[in-house]
mmCIF file of all heavy atoms in Angstrom:
data_model
loop_
_atom_site.group_PDB
_atom_site.id
_atom_site.type_symbol
_atom_site.label_atom_id
_atom_site.label_comp_id
_atom_site.label_asym_id
_atom_site.label_seq_id
_atom_site.Cartn_x
_atom_site.Cartn_y
_atom_site.Cartn_z
ATOM 1 N N SER P 51 -2.289 33.272 71.332
ATOM 2 C CA SER P 51 -3.251 32.555 72.173
ATOM 3 C C SER P 51 -4.215 33.539 72.829
ATOM 4 O O SER P 51 -3.847 34.660 73.192
ATOM 5 C CB SER P 51 -2.524 31.759 73.259
ATOM 6 O OG SER P 51 -1.697 30.776 72.684
ATOM 7 N N LEU P 52 -5.432 33.105 72.967
ATOM 8 C CA LEU P 52 -6.449 33.918 73.619
ATOM 9 C C LEU P 52 -6.112 34.085 75.099
ATOM 10 O O LEU P 52 -5.690 33.137 75.759
ATOM 11 C CB LEU P 52 -7.802 33.210 73.473
ATOM 12 C CG LEU P 52 -9.082 34.039 73.583
ATOM 13 C CD1 LEU P 52 -9.148 35.035 72.443
ATOM 14 C CD2 LEU P 52 -10.293 33.105 73.555
ATOM 15 N N THR P 53 -6.261 35.288 75.615
ATOM 16 C CA THR P 53 -6.038 35.524 77.035
ATOM 17 C C THR P 53 -7.321 35.282 77.824
ATOM 18 O O THR P 53 -8.413 35.208 77.259
ATOM 19 C CB THR P 53 -5.567 36.962 77.290
ATOM 20 O OG1 THR P 53 -6.639 37.867 76.953
ATOM 21 C CG2 THR P 53 -4.338 37.292 76.444
ATOM 22 N N THR P 54 -7.183 35.184 79.123
ATOM 23 C CA THR P 54 -8.351 34.993 79.981
ATOM 24 C C THR P 54 -9.330 36.151 79.849
ATOM 25 O O THR P 54 -10.545 35.953 79.790
ATOM 26 C CB THR P 54 -7.910 34.837 81.443
ATOM 27 O OG1 THR P 54 -7.018 33.722 81.559
ATOM 28 C CG2 THR P 54 -9.105 34.609 82.362
ATOM 29 N N SER P 55 -8.808 37.374 79.771
ATOM 30 C CA SER P 55 -9.689 38.534 79.651
ATOM 31 C C SER P 55 -10.376 38.560 78.294
ATOM 32 O O SER P 55 -11.549 38.949 78.191
ATOM 33 C CB SER P 55 -8.925 39.833 79.902
ATOM 34 O OG SER P 55 -7.904 40.005 78.940
ATOM 35 N N GLU P 56 -9.677 38.155 77.248
ATOM 36 C CA GLU P 56 -10.304 38.100 75.930
ATOM 37 C C GLU P 56 -11.402 37.043 75.903
ATOM 38 O O GLU P 56 -12.467 37.265 75.329
ATOM 39 C CB GLU P 56 -9.249 37.805 74.858
ATOM 40 C CG GLU P 56 -8.359 38.995 74.543
ATOM 41 C CD GLU P 56 -7.179 38.635 73.667
ATOM 42 O OE1 GLU P 56 -6.729 37.472 73.705
ATOM 43 O OE2 GLU P 56 -6.697 39.527 72.953
ATOM 44 N N ALA P 57 -11.146 35.893 76.529
ATOM 45 C CA ALA P 57 -12.183 34.860 76.605
ATOM 46 C C ALA P 57 -13.410 35.391 77.331
ATOM 47 O O ALA P 57 -14.552 35.157 76.911
ATOM 48 C CB ALA P 57 -11.634 33.615 77.300
ATOM 49 N N ALA P 58 -13.201 36.125 78.411
ATOM 50 C CA ALA P 58 -14.329 36.689 79.162
ATOM 51 C C ALA P 58 -15.104 37.694 78.316
ATOM 52 O O ALA P 58 -16.336 37.766 78.386
ATOM 53 C CB ALA P 58 -13.825 37.343 80.445
ATOM 54 N N SER P 59 -14.387 38.466 77.480
ATOM 55 C CA SER P 59 -15.059 39.477 76.655
ATOM 56 C C SER P 59 -15.914 38.846 75.564
ATOM 57 O O SER P 59 -16.821 39.497 75.030
ATOM 58 C CB SER P 59 -14.025 40.415 76.031
ATOM 59 O OG SER P 59 -13.302 39.775 74.993
ATOM 60 N N LEU P 60 -15.630 37.591 75.208
ATOM 61 C CA LEU P 60 -16.396 36.903 74.167
ATOM 62 C C LEU P 60 -17.650 36.227 74.708
ATOM 63 O O LEU P 60 -18.471 35.742 73.925
ATOM 64 C CB LEU P 60 -15.504 35.852 73.485
ATOM 65 C CG LEU P 60 -14.329 36.397 72.680
ATOM 66 C CD1 LEU P 60 -13.423 35.252 72.239
ATOM 67 C CD2 LEU P 60 -14.809 37.197 71.480
ATOM 68 N N ARG P 61 -17.810 36.186 76.019
ATOM 69 C CA ARG P 61 -18.987 35.535 76.591
ATOM 70 C C ARG P 61 -20.245 36.337 76.259
ATOM 71 O O ARG P 61 -20.269 37.563 76.413
ATOM 72 C CB ARG P 61 -18.831 35.400 78.102
ATOM 73 C CG ARG P 61 -19.930 34.544 78.753
ATOM 74 C CD ARG P 61 -19.768 34.497 80.264
ATOM 75 N NE ARG P 61 -18.531 33.865 80.664
ATOM 76 C CZ ARG P 61 -18.357 32.551 80.739
ATOM 77 N NH1 ARG P 61 -19.363 31.740 80.437
ATOM 78 N NH2 ARG P 61 -17.206 32.054 81.125
ATOM 79 N N PRO P 62 -21.301 35.684 75.801
ATOM 80 C CA PRO P 62 -22.542 36.422 75.517
ATOM 81 C C PRO P 62 -23.149 37.000 76.785
ATOM 82 O O PRO P 62 -22.915 36.499 77.891
ATOM 83 C CB PRO P 62 -23.453 35.347 74.896
ATOM 84 C CG PRO P 62 -22.871 34.042 75.314
ATOM 85 C CD PRO P 62 -21.403 34.260 75.480
ATOM 86 N N THR P 63 -23.925 38.053 76.617
ATOM 87 C CA THR P 63 -24.633 38.680 77.736
ATOM 88 C C THR P 63 -26.113 38.347 77.640
ATOM 89 O O THR P 63 -26.565 37.691 76.705
ATOM 90 C CB THR P 63 -24.449 40.199 77.697
ATOM 91 O OG1 THR P 63 -25.213 40.736 76.593
ATOM 92 C CG2 THR P 63 -22.984 40.580 77.524
ATOM 93 N N GLY P 64 -26.871 38.843 78.597
ATOM 94 C CA GLY P 64 -28.310 38.639 78.571
ATOM 95 C C GLY P 64 -28.982 39.325 77.399
ATOM 96 O O GLY P 64 -30.136 39.013 77.086
ATOM 97 N N LEU P 65 -28.287 40.252 76.743
ATOM 98 C CA LEU P 65 -28.848 40.960 75.591
ATOM 99 C C LEU P 65 -28.485 40.308 74.260
ATOM 100 O O LEU P 65 -28.930 40.761 73.209
ATOM 101 C CB LEU P 65 -28.357 42.412 75.599
ATOM 102 C CG LEU P 65 -28.761 43.263 76.812
ATOM 103 C CD1 LEU P 65 -28.151 44.656 76.703
ATOM 104 C CD2 LEU P 65 -30.279 43.350 76.935
ATOM 105 N N THR P 66 -27.662 39.260 74.286
ATOM 106 C CA THR P 66 -27.230 38.609 73.043
ATOM 107 C C THR P 66 -28.368 37.767 72.474
ATOM 108 O O THR P 66 -28.801 36.792 73.088
ATOM 109 C CB THR P 66 -26.006 37.719 73.283
ATOM 110 O OG1 THR P 66 -24.957 38.491 73.871
ATOM 111 C CG2 THR P 66 -25.515 37.118 71.965
ATOM 112 N N ALA P 67 -28.869 38.151 71.312
ATOM 113 C CA ALA P 67 -29.950 37.397 70.667
ATOM 114 C C ALA P 67 -29.417 36.096 70.094
ATOM 115 O O ALA P 67 -28.263 36.014 69.666
ATOM 116 C CB ALA P 67 -30.583 38.238 69.558
ATOM 117 N N ASP P 68 -30.269 35.067 70.065
ATOM 118 C CA ASP P 68 -29.868 33.789 69.488
ATOM 119 C C ASP P 68 -29.358 33.967 68.055
ATOM 120 O O ASP P 68 -28.400 33.309 67.635
ATOM 121 C CB ASP P 68 -31.038 32.803 69.483
ATOM 122 C CG ASP P 68 -31.437 32.348 70.877
ATOM 123 O OD1 ASP P 68 -30.849 32.837 71.865
ATOM 124 O OD2 ASP P 68 -32.343 31.497 70.979
ATOM 125 N N SER P 69 -29.971 34.857 67.301
ATOM 126 C CA SER P 69 -29.634 35.034 65.884
ATOM 127 C C SER P 69 -28.259 35.646 65.678
ATOM 128 O O SER P 69 -27.743 35.630 64.561
ATOM 129 C CB SER P 69 -30.690 35.908 65.194
ATOM 130 O OG SER P 69 -30.715 37.204 65.769
ATOM 131 N N THR P 70 -27.647 36.182 66.733
ATOM 132 C CA THR P 70 -26.333 36.820 66.614
ATOM 133 C C THR P 70 -25.234 36.032 67.305
ATOM 134 O O THR P 70 -24.082 36.464 67.323
ATOM 135 C CB THR P 70 -26.360 38.249 67.191
ATOM 136 O OG1 THR P 70 -26.516 38.188 68.615
ATOM 137 C CG2 THR P 70 -27.499 39.064 66.589
ATOM 138 N N LEU P 71 -25.556 34.873 67.854
ATOM 139 C CA LEU P 71 -24.642 34.109 68.693
ATOM 140 C C LEU P 71 -23.848 33.097 67.875
ATOM 141 O O LEU P 71 -24.384 32.440 66.978
ATOM 142 C CB LEU P 71 -25.439 33.383 69.776
ATOM 143 C CG LEU P 71 -24.666 32.570 70.810
ATOM 144 C CD1 LEU P 71 -23.761 33.467 71.648
ATOM 145 C CD2 LEU P 71 -25.645 31.815 71.719
ATOM 146 N N VAL P 72 -22.570 32.944 68.212
ATOM 147 C CA VAL P 72 -21.728 31.890 67.649
ATOM 148 C C VAL P 72 -21.695 30.725 68.637
ATOM 149 O O VAL P 72 -21.438 30.923 69.832
ATOM 150 C CB VAL P 72 -20.297 32.390 67.400
ATOM 151 C CG1 VAL P 72 -19.397 31.251 66.914
ATOM 152 C CG2 VAL P 72 -20.300 33.533 66.397
ATOM 153 N N GLU P 73 -21.955 29.522 68.137
ATOM 154 C CA GLU P 73 -21.890 28.319 68.961
ATOM 155 C C GLU P 73 -21.036 27.268 68.265
ATOM 156 O O GLU P 73 -21.159 27.076 67.052
ATOM 157 C CB GLU P 73 -23.287 27.736 69.189
ATOM 158 C CG GLU P 73 -24.254 28.679 69.874
ATOM 159 C CD GLU P 73 -25.639 28.076 70.012
ATOM 160 O OE1 GLU P 73 -25.866 27.351 70.996
ATOM 161 O OE2 GLU P 73 -26.473 28.304 69.113
ATOM 162 N N LEU P 74 -20.202 26.586 69.015
ATOM 163 C CA LEU P 74 -19.528 25.403 68.501
ATOM 164 C C LEU P 74 -20.414 24.192 68.777
ATOM 165 O O LEU P 74 -21.209 24.192 69.715
ATOM 166 C CB LEU P 74 -18.161 25.236 69.142
ATOM 167 C CG LEU P 74 -17.138 26.336 68.834
ATOM 168 C CD1 LEU P 74 -15.753 25.920 69.305
ATOM 169 C CD2 LEU P 74 -17.110 26.684 67.365
ATOM 170 N N ALA P 75 -20.260 23.156 67.958
ATOM 171 C CA ALA P 75 -21.188 22.033 68.025
ATOM 172 C C ALA P 75 -20.478 20.733 67.708
ATOM 173 O O ALA P 75 -19.445 20.711 67.036
ATOM 174 C CB ALA P 75 -22.345 22.251 67.044
ATOM 175 N N LYS P 76 -21.074 19.646 68.204
ATOM 176 C CA LYS P 76 -20.621 18.302 67.864
ATOM 177 C C LYS P 76 -21.726 17.600 67.094
ATOM 178 O O LYS P 76 -22.913 17.853 67.315
ATOM 179 C CB LYS P 76 -20.291 17.522 69.141
ATOM 180 C CG LYS P 76 -19.138 18.109 69.936
ATOM 181 C CD LYS P 76 -18.736 17.229 71.102
ATOM 182 C CE LYS P 76 -19.768 17.246 72.205
ATOM 183 N NZ LYS P 76 -19.302 16.521 73.415
ATOM 184 N N LEU P 77 -21.334 16.712 66.172
ATOM 185 C CA LEU P 77 -22.324 15.937 65.436
ATOM 186 C C LEU P 77 -23.234 15.211 66.410
ATOM 187 O O LEU P 77 -22.768 14.700 67.437
ATOM 188 C CB LEU P 77 -21.642 14.934 64.515
ATOM 189 C CG LEU P 77 -21.205 15.447 63.146
ATOM 190 C CD1 LEU P 77 -20.294 14.425 62.470
ATOM 191 C CD2 LEU P 77 -22.398 15.751 62.270
ATOM 192 N N PRO P 78 -24.544 15.162 66.133
ATOM 193 C CA PRO P 78 -25.473 14.510 67.057
ATOM 194 C C PRO P 78 -25.134 13.034 67.254
ATOM 195 O O PRO P 78 -24.666 12.357 66.341
ATOM 196 C CB PRO P 78 -26.837 14.670 66.357
ATOM 197 C CG PRO P 78 -26.652 15.775 65.386
ATOM 198 C CD PRO P 78 -25.215 15.747 64.966
ATOM 199 N N ASP P 79 -25.371 12.537 68.468
ATOM 200 C CA ASP P 79 -25.225 11.112 68.742
ATOM 201 C C ASP P 79 -26.356 10.338 68.073
ATOM 202 O O ASP P 79 -27.379 10.907 67.690
ATOM 203 C CB ASP P 79 -25.243 10.853 70.250
ATOM 204 C CG ASP P 79 -24.047 11.485 70.953
ATOM 205 O OD1 ASP P 79 -22.978 11.575 70.321
ATOM 206 O OD2 ASP P 79 -24.192 11.869 72.124
ATOM 207 N N GLY P 80 -26.151 9.029 67.983
ATOM 208 C CA GLY P 80 -27.208 8.182 67.440
ATOM 209 C C GLY P 80 -26.973 7.848 65.991
ATOM 210 O O GLY P 80 -25.952 8.238 65.394
ATOM 211 N N PRO P 81 -27.923 7.160 65.380
ATOM 212 C CA PRO P 81 -27.764 6.724 63.992
ATOM 213 C C PRO P 81 -27.619 7.908 63.048
ATOM 214 O O PRO P 81 -28.243 8.962 63.241
ATOM 215 C CB PRO P 81 -29.056 5.946 63.711
ATOM 216 C CG PRO P 81 -29.642 5.659 65.046
ATOM 217 C CD PRO P 81 -29.191 6.732 65.971
ATOM 218 N N ALA P 82 -26.800 7.752 62.037
ATOM 219 C CA ALA P 82 -26.650 8.797 61.028
ATOM 220 C C ALA P 82 -27.934 8.930 60.232
ATOM 221 O O ALA P 82 -28.657 7.948 60.029
ATOM 222 C CB ALA P 82 -25.495 8.454 60.089
ATOM 223 N N PRO P 83 -28.302 10.143 59.808
ATOM 224 C CA PRO P 83 -29.509 10.302 58.999
ATOM 225 C C PRO P 83 -29.370 9.602 57.658
ATOM 226 O O PRO P 83 -28.266 9.294 57.212
ATOM 227 C CB PRO P 83 -29.607 11.820 58.820
ATOM 228 C CG PRO P 83 -28.212 12.317 58.999
ATOM 229 C CD PRO P 83 -27.566 11.409 60.005
ATOM 230 N N ALA P 84 -30.502 9.335 57.025
ATOM 231 C CA ALA P 84 -30.490 8.623 55.741
ATOM 232 C C ALA P 84 -29.680 9.382 54.701
ATOM 233 O O ALA P 84 -29.027 8.790 53.849
ATOM 234 C CB ALA P 84 -31.921 8.410 55.255
ATOM 235 N N GLY P 85 -29.694 10.687 54.749
ATOM 236 C CA GLY P 85 -28.911 11.513 53.838
ATOM 237 C C GLY P 85 -28.382 12.717 54.580
ATOM 238 O O GLY P 85 -28.985 13.181 55.547
ATOM 239 N N LEU P 86 -27.244 13.226 54.156
ATOM 240 C CA LEU P 86 -26.623 14.357 54.838
ATOM 241 C C LEU P 86 -27.568 15.552 54.896
ATOM 242 O O LEU P 86 -27.612 16.274 55.893
ATOM 243 C CB LEU P 86 -25.330 14.732 54.122
ATOM 244 C CG LEU P 86 -24.454 15.787 54.786
ATOM 245 C CD1 LEU P 86 -23.970 15.312 56.141
ATOM 246 C CD2 LEU P 86 -23.276 16.149 53.894
ATOM 247 N N ALA P 87 -28.353 15.760 53.846
ATOM 248 C CA ALA P 87 -29.224 16.939 53.782
ATOM 249 C C ALA P 87 -30.225 16.961 54.923
ATOM 250 O O ALA P 87 -30.678 18.032 55.329
ATOM 251 C CB ALA P 87 -29.954 16.970 52.441
ATOM 252 N N SER P 88 -30.584 15.795 55.464
ATOM 253 C CA SER P 88 -31.604 15.742 56.516
ATOM 254 C C SER P 88 -31.018 15.823 57.920
ATOM 255 O O SER P 88 -31.760 15.724 58.903
ATOM 256 C CB SER P 88 -32.428 14.458 56.378
ATOM 257 O OG SER P 88 -31.594 13.318 56.500
ATOM 258 N N LEU P 89 -29.705 16.028 58.042
ATOM 259 C CA LEU P 89 -29.083 16.057 59.361
ATOM 260 C C LEU P 89 -29.673 17.149 60.239
ATOM 261 O O LEU P 89 -29.794 16.981 61.452
ATOM 262 C CB LEU P 89 -27.573 16.242 59.217
ATOM 263 C CG LEU P 89 -26.735 16.126 60.483
ATOM 264 C CD1 LEU P 89 -25.370 15.520 60.159
ATOM 265 C CD2 LEU P 89 -26.515 17.488 61.149
ATOM 266 N N ALA P 90 -30.046 18.293 59.658
ATOM 267 C CA ALA P 90 -30.560 19.410 60.446
ATOM 268 C C ALA P 90 -32.063 19.316 60.711
ATOM 269 O O ALA P 90 -32.604 20.170 61.422
ATOM 270 C CB ALA P 90 -30.246 20.736 59.735
ATOM 271 N N ASP P 91 -32.740 18.292 60.190
ATOM 272 C CA ASP P 91 -34.200 18.218 60.321
ATOM 273 C C ASP P 91 -34.689 18.271 61.761
ATOM 274 O O ASP P 91 -35.706 18.919 62.043
ATOM 275 C CB ASP P 91 -34.728 16.956 59.632
ATOM 276 C CG ASP P 91 -34.673 17.050 58.115
ATOM 277 O OD1 ASP P 91 -34.334 18.140 57.608
ATOM 278 O OD2 ASP P 91 -34.961 16.041 57.447
ATOM 279 N N PRO P 92 -34.016 17.594 62.736
ATOM 280 C CA PRO P 92 -34.562 17.603 64.101
ATOM 281 C C PRO P 92 -34.114 18.775 64.963
ATOM 282 O O PRO P 92 -34.358 18.769 66.176
ATOM 283 C CB PRO P 92 -34.026 16.284 64.674
ATOM 284 C CG PRO P 92 -32.743 16.058 63.982
ATOM 285 C CD PRO P 92 -32.896 16.646 62.604
#
Side-chain angles (χ1 to χ4, degrees):
S51 297
L52 203 64
T53 66
T54 302
S55 62
E56 286 170 333
S59 73
L60 294 172
R61 188 183 297 278
T63 72
L65 298 178
T66 304
D68 291 3
S69 62
T70 69
L71 183 63
V72 176
E73 301 177 85
L74 295 191
K76 296 187 289 187
L77 275 168
D79 295 329
L86 187 62
S88 60
L89 187 147
D91 288 354

